[in-house]
Amino acid sequence: MRNLIAAILTFTSGAALAQEATPAPEAAPATEAAPATPNTDERVTNTEGKVASIEEQLAEIKSILSPLTKLKFSGYVQARYQWEESREDGTGGYSRFLVRRGRLKATYTGDLVQYMLQIDAVPTGVTVRDAEATLFIPGTKQNMSVTLGQMKWPFGYESVQSSSDREFPERTRVVRAFLPDERDRGVKYAGKFGFFRLGVGLFDGNGMSYPGSVGVDNDKEKDFVGRAGFDLKWISGGVSGWYGHTMGRGAGETYRHAHERSRVGADLQVYLDFLPIGATAIKGEYIKGKTYVSNGAELLDRQASGWYALLVQNIGLTNAVAVRYDYFDAATGIPATAAAPGSDRPAGTNAIGTIGATAIHYFGENLKLSVTYEHPMTATVAGVKDPRDNLLTAQLQARY
């Protein structure tokens, strides 16, 4: 009986627990109302709003980027290996690596204005090469301009040609003598009238690295420099002139006096494309003048002259060869002589003619390798030897 009562209690309590554990069913959530579908006019209105917003954003971005599209950066590096013969007397001669040029140029060009700054950063220091502020004369479509600052002299062809475009590592002797560093501070007018080109300016006249007056003029004398030329694409050329004075103390002078500094020149370039291997270019230039720079010193009243002829032949699209002869008479009218009585060395005034050849290979648009060999020939007299000063230059140029 006791067992029966226990079984009944166990059964009833289990049933009660089962009833407590069973959860009550939750009420079904209320059904949300479906969003109303926009009609065609509403969709068009929304789309127009989004388009207007995008247009405003694009206009803002364009306003921000517009000045940047007018600003351009460019530059190049010329790294070299050079070897030169040692002369009989033990002077000269070297084997060296060097960075000849490391240019960085920024140019901003607007409708009426152009700004240009170029520096040259090499292991020996950093120098400002160009610092120009240009005004394009209104109504001339940028064909006429006035520039103030430090810029290239408007004289001849080779002096204004970029070093990155030149076939040979350095400019010719006559150009280096009459136009050292190719630049000066002054004001220049430039104009294009069809195929006619005109560039004239007023400059300090001392160039960039005149001893004792780097970056400034050392006197009140100013030099007038100009070139009138033409450009018919396949042939171009011009005539140049320079007239001015420089203050200096000549031989036998107690005080400084104004000495004439002048040059005249003519240049011609011809571009032909009749050979099946590639285009051909022939270039030449002649300069004659008084007072020039040699070894960092200005030689007052010294008459000199020189010229060069250059032949460039492209071979396909990636190779070229060039041959150049340049001649410089450092003292026109003075015959060749020895450096000193009894010496076998030529005087510094003796004329020098240099024959050179170069081979060029382009690794695309931005990299160029050139190997150049030059053989200078100094005028001699009896008992005077032509110095051994042949020069080999291997140059790798990268530009952007």
Side-chain angles (χ1 to χ4, degrees):
M1 186 63 181
R2 184 178 297 176
N3 296 334
L4 178 61
I5 293 171
I8 293 171
L9 292 175
T10 302
F11 176 77
T12 54
S13 60
L17 291 172
Q19 291 177 354
E20 293 176 359
T22 303
E26 297 181 357
T31 304
E32 296 182 357
T37 303
N39 56 35
T40 302
D41 292 339
E42 290 174 336
R43 290 200 299 269
V44 171
T45 301
N46 292 336
T47 302
E48 289 177 345
K50 293 178 180 178
V51 171
S53 176
I54 293 174
E55 288 178 345
E56 291 178 0
Q57 294 176 14
L58 288 177
E60 184 177 356
I61 294 173
K62 186 177 180 180
S63 175
I64 296 173
L65 295 180
S66 180
L68 297 179
T69 61
K70 300 176 182 178
L71 180 62
K72 296 181 180 179
F73 291 95
S74 60
Y76 61 93
V77 170
Q78 292 180 342
R80 292 181 183 175
Y81 168 76
Q82 283 188 317
W83 172 88
E84 188 194 52
E85 283 185 299
S86 296
R87 299 177 178 86
E88 291 83 350
D89 59 0
T91 62
Y94 48 75
S95 172
R96 64 190 182 191
F97 294 98
L98 72 157
V99 178
R100 179 63 179 87
R101 297 179 176 89
R103 302 291 174 85
L104 176 61
K105 182 168 71 173
T107 306
Y108 176 88
T109 304
D111 295 333
L112 292 177
V113 63
Q114 184 177 69
Y115 150 91
M116 198 262 278
L117 177 66
Q118 181 177 204
I119 63 173
D120 187 29
V122 294
T124 54
V126 179
T127 57
V128 176
R129 304 294 293 179
D130 299 288
E132 303 178 6
T134 297
L135 168 67
F136 294 113
I137 298 177
T140 65
K141 300 180 179 180
Q142 298 188 348
N143 287 322
M144 289 190 280
S145 63
V146 176
T147 301
L148 188 66
Q150 179 169 294
M151 70 204 84
K152 287 187 175 180
W153 283 306
F155 189 102
Y157 171 77
E158 193 180 57
S159 65
V160 297
Q161 184 187 27
S162 172
S163 295
S164 62
D165 296 331
R166 201 174 50 250
E167 292 80 12
F168 277 74
E170 298 296 337
R171 291 177 172 83
T172 51
R173 292 178 187 271
V174 61
V175 172
R176 298 202 302 266
F178 284 120
L179 301 126
D181 293 323
E182 308 93 42
R183 294 166 172 84
D184 202 356
R185 294 153 307 284
V187 59
K188 179 184 70 175
Y189 164 84
K192 298 179 183 178
F193 308 92
F195 62 88
F196 182 69
R197 303 286 186 269
L198 178 65
V200 293
L202 192 66
F203 295 88
D204 285 344
N206 290 332
M208 291 176 48
S209 54
Y210 189 81
S213 60
V214 176
V216 294
D217 200 357
N218 64 332
D219 55 45
K220 295 182 179 178
E221 303 295 335
K222 292 292 174 284
D223 292 9
F224 178 81
V225 184
R227 178 179 185 268
F230 66 96
D231 187 355
L232 296 175
K233 305 304 180 183
W234 71 275
I235 184 171
S236 59
V239 293
S240 303
W242 176 319
Y243 184 77
H245 292 83
T246 180
M247 295 292 291
R249 187 180 296 110
E253 294 180 340
T254 305
Y255 303 103
R256 296 198 311 159
H257 294 282
H259 295 262
E260 180 182 328
R261 182 166 49 195
S262 59
R263 297 98 169 84
V264 293
D267 62 89
L268 186 68
Q269 305 85 44
V270 180
Y271 303 94
L272 306 172
D273 192 11
F274 60 89
L275 294 179
I277 58 174
T280 306
I282 303 172
K283 307 176 184 180
E285 189 169 0
Y286 173 81
I287 303 175
K288 177 182 180 182
K290 176 187 289 187
T291 303
Y292 64 92
V293 173
S294 176
N295 296 323
E298 195 166 37
L299 304 180
L300 302 173
D301 301 323
R302 177 77 66 84
Q303 294 273 6
S305 62
W307 60 275
Y308 68 84
L310 171 66
L311 172 65
V312 185
Q313 178 61 57
N314 291 335
I315 303 174
L317 299 176
T318 58
N319 296 290
V321 294
V323 179
R324 184 179 76 180
Y325 179 79
D326 78 88
Y327 176 84
F328 180 59
D329 187 351
T332 302
I334 298 178
T337 184
S343 173
D344 63 350
R345 298 175 55 191
T349 55
N350 290 9
I352 300 177
T354 303
I355 183 73
T358 185
I360 304 171
H361 178 72
Y362 297 90
F363 297 93
E365 297 180 355
N366 305 107
L367 191 63
K368 178 175 73 174
L369 172 66
S370 63
V371 179
T372 306
Y373 192 77
E374 295 173 279
H375 175 59
M377 297 167 285
T378 305
T380 60
V381 294
V384 174
K385 297 179 180 179
D386 179 9
R388 295 185 305 187
D389 48 3
N390 293 350
L391 178 65
L392 172 69
T393 303
Q395 175 175 285
L396 192 60
Q397 173 183 290
R399 64 184 296 182
Y400 68 96

